[in-house]
Amino acid sequence: MAWKPSEPLMKRISHYASFPPTGVSLRQMVQFGEKPSTGTLFRASQFLSEELPVRLAHRVEELNKLPDGLGDMSSIQKVRDWYAQSFEEITEMAKPDLDKGTRDRLLNPPKKSNQKLSNNVRNPSMNKNGDNGGGVNSRRYFAAIDDDNWPPELADHNKKFSRMLENIKRRHDPVVTTVAQGINEYKRKRQRMQIDASIQSFLDRFYMSRIGIRMLIGQHIALTTQSNHRHPNYVGIICTKTNVRELAEEAIENARFVCEDHYGLFDAPKVQLFCPKDLTFMYVPGHLSHMLFETLKNSLRAVVERHGAEKEEFPITKVIIAEGKEDITIKISDEGGGIARSAIPLVWTYMYTTVDATPELDPGFNASDFKAPMAGFGYGLPISRLYARYFGGDLKLISMEGYGTDVYLHLNRLSSSSEPLQ
Ligand SMILES: Nc1ncnc2c1ncn2[C@@H]1O[C@H](COP(=O)(O)OP(=O)(O)OP(=O)(O)O)[C@@H](O)[C@H]1O
């Protein structure tokens, strides 16, 4: 029998959903995790044991109030139950029994080791009225406590907490695919070709929130497991010296490989990379790889389909990377024939694709994410744009129908903007 939330649990969820989430910036995550002592990790777990339930509760509430019967789809209910179950696990985890001295040290760490975190700025992707959660609230996200010699209960609790988060993260792996199934189910039942604006904005909010939740969870697990053997340039999953050229080269290679495989080509269309030497900045390499791979795959597909798979030579796609004070911008220019102006708004909608046969998502489909071979779900662009916006960047697309497309990936290098939360 699948797990179902009880009445009292749903009441508790409603209560938590009345609190706003707290946005954290990339910079703060790095300051927090620079020297994760047992005390620091414990305080991080205290922060997360409040913050994650708040974020999960908002999603449960929203999944319960979806328009036009979307919430009745069985896949959507399944996802809602995962969120509620994870909420329950975190809020019901037993707290360690600590002596007064330890409690005092955790509450009032010595001044020198309890540095204040830098302030957040509003994330540019938030609308004017949106609460970016970066104000007074963010003080709850404390800085590190350097000193050591903590009682063993603390380290034990940290391990248990991190293991619980690993379980939760695994439970939520299939969320994107399962929600996509729910949308498919809905489109079939309601005989809709496209989703309307309210569902589109729900999906944007929902997936953006998922990126944030997974960022906090992934960061905490990595900090806990890395505390003994830390890679010099890494704080959790954040790389303080993300090498843009290396990631771009890797993404080009992967996209070309997938393209050769898909179209049975001996040699995929070439990609030329222009990137300043030794360009590094603070970012999550996994996010950047994802965005680069998705956009490059789109360009290669467009080039092959425009010029024909039987061609021996294709026009070269250019990747140009520029370093500004505020942004690092990556432009991907292809000669794949572009997109009609009327179709531009559609490329940002979920489930829009010009692939004829969208790969079937059968009910047992359990992949952790869309590791789509070439294309077909219509999630590549909208999800990549959320990743870009999550840390204050953006993804834009300008096309010349009949010639090609330029995709601009702006990455904010100031790293002080708060997560865009709603
Ligand atoms: N560089 C491009 N040139 C021409 N058309 C493009 C380009 N990039 C995207 N498109 C169009 O936008 C559509 C949506 O792209 P998107 O990346 O969101 O989904 P997809 O590639 O179809 O599927 P997937 O979810 O596997 O990425 C594509 O199907 C294609 O028609």
Side-chain angles (χ1 to χ4, degrees):
M1 256 291 277
W3 180 92
K4 284 277 159 212
S6 65
E7 267 293 306
L9 177 65
M10 289 311 278
K11 274 216 174 104
R12 221 142 40 83
I13 289 177
S14 284
H15 175 65
Y16 271 72
S18 63
F19 297 99
T22 297
V24 183
S25 68
L26 190 61
R27 189 170 292 278
Q28 288 178 326
M29 290 185 208
V30 167
Q31 287 170 337
F32 189 80
E34 242 150 3
K35 299 185 198 89
S37 69
T38 300
T40 305
L41 285 174
F42 182 74
R43 292 222 318 201
S45 73
Q46 283 181 311
F47 167 75
L48 291 181
S49 60
E50 289 177 20
E51 181 59 21
L52 291 173
V54 168
R55 294 192 189 192
L56 294 167
H58 279 280
R59 276 12 316 156
V60 175
E61 292 271 290
E62 184 161 50
L63 289 166
N64 271 338
K65 290 181 193 146
L66 288 177
D68 199 25
L70 176 59
D72 300 334
M73 303 301 125
S74 61
S75 310
I76 301 288
Q77 294 192 347
K78 200 194 290 177
V79 170
R80 190 216 44 193
D81 292 349
W82 289 336
Y83 274 70
Q85 190 176 1
S86 301
F87 172 96
E88 184 179 54
E89 282 172 12
I90 300 175
T91 49
E92 291 193 351
M93 183 173 174
K95 302 263 181 305
D97 207 2
L98 300 175
D99 60 80
K100 187 169 176 322
T102 307
R103 269 185 281 138
D104 286 348
R105 269 171 78 201
L106 286 166
L107 271 176
N108 307 303
K111 273 239 159 48
K112 68 171 175 41
S113 63
N114 190 32
Q115 313 125 3
K116 262 256 134 43
L117 292 183
S118 56
N119 287 332
N120 284 351
V121 297
R122 171 186 287 280
N123 190 307
S125 69
M126 292 295 292
N127 62 27
K128 288 269 181 306
N129 305 322
D131 174 13
N132 73 350
V136 186
N137 250 335
S138 66
R139 272 195 241 120
R140 288 203 294 123
Y141 194 72
F142 286 105
I145 321 174
D146 286 345
D147 57 340
D148 236 309
N149 294 325
W150 298 92
E153 297 92 289
L154 225 53
D156 273 358
H157 181 272
N158 287 346
K159 265 200 216 115
K160 272 193 215 132
F161 190 78
S162 165
R163 237 176 280 135
M164 173 184 65
L165 291 186
E166 278 173 31
N167 256 334
I168 291 177
K169 189 156 184 274
R170 211 169 309 123
R171 171 179 305 132
H172 291 243
D173 278 345
V175 160
V176 179
T177 45
T178 312
V179 171
Q181 273 173 31
I183 303 282
N184 272 344
E185 226 180 297
Y186 162 86
K187 277 168 57 177
R188 243 190 338 263
K189 282 208 173 120
R190 293 269 184 280
Q191 308 213 318
R192 300 250 197 283
M193 288 300 287
Q194 297 298 336
I195 51 176
D196 72 12
S198 68
I199 293 178
Q200 169 73 16
S201 66
F202 151 69
L203 289 171
D204 272 334
R205 260 195 317 279
F206 185 79
Y207 291 135
M208 181 64 103
S209 148
R210 179 172 187 268
I211 292 174
I213 291 172
R214 288 178 87 77
M215 180 71 209
L216 293 184
I217 290 182
Q219 185 66 0
H220 190 80
I221 295 171
L223 288 175
T224 312
T225 47
Q226 272 167 17
S227 55
N228 296 327
H229 33 83
R230 192 164 85 81
H231 186 288
N233 295 333
Y234 273 81
V235 178
I237 54 175
I238 301 166
C239 179
T240 50
K241 293 204 168 84
T242 305
N243 188 314
V244 185
R245 173 189 281 274
E246 277 173 20
L247 288 185
E249 281 170 350
E250 203 179 277
I252 291 170
E253 202 180 307
N254 290 340
R256 291 189 72 234
F257 177 80
V258 166
C259 176
E260 281 164 9
D261 194 49
H262 182 80
Y263 292 103
L265 300 175
F266 176 67
D267 204 15
K270 301 234 167 357
V271 180
Q272 215 173 354
L273 174 64
F274 301 87
C275 179
K277 240 181 139 216
D278 303 323
L279 176 55
T280 61
F281 76 129
M282 184 156 78
Y283 212 69
V284 180
H287 291 189
L288 183 51
S289 298
H290 180 98
M291 297 182 280
L292 284 167
F293 177 66
E294 286 297 329
T295 44
L296 280 161
K297 218 168 46 144
N298 283 346
S299 287
L300 296 184
R301 173 182 164 222
V303 169
V304 174
E305 299 208 346
R306 163 97 174 158
H307 299 273
E310 65 293 341
K311 272 266 159 58
E312 287 197 355
E313 290 241 5
F314 297 97
I316 296 173
T317 298
K318 292 197 178 77
V319 177
I320 301 157
I321 304 179
E323 181 184 18
K325 280 206 189 70
E326 194 178 302
D327 278 352
I328 286 173
T329 303
I330 304 178
K331 178 165 80 167
I332 299 164
S333 296
D334 66 56
E335 292 182 27
I339 304 166
R341 208 145 47 95
S342 60
I344 296 280
L346 293 177
V347 305
W348 300 111
T349 61
Y350 297 89
M351 321 299 275
Y352 170 79
T353 177
T354 47
V355 170
D356 294 336
T358 295
E360 196 49 44
L361 289 174
D362 64 74
F365 190 82
N366 209 17
S368 59
D369 229 320
F370 282 111
K371 295 214 175 59
M374 192 60 203
F377 294 103
Y379 266 58
L381 284 175
I383 296 271
S384 295
R385 184 166 70 176
L386 294 182
Y387 274 116
R389 288 180 170 176
Y390 177 67
F391 284 129
D394 211 347
L395 182 64
K396 296 197 165 134
L397 187 146
I398 296 176
S399 150
M400 283 168 81
E401 191 190 9
Y403 181 76
T405 302
D406 288 346
V407 169
Y408 289 83
L409 177 55
H410 298 284
L411 307 163
N412 186 293
R413 61 185 313 199
L414 305 178
S415 59
S416 51
S417 66
S418 176
E419 298 170 274
L421 302 169
Q422 302 181 32

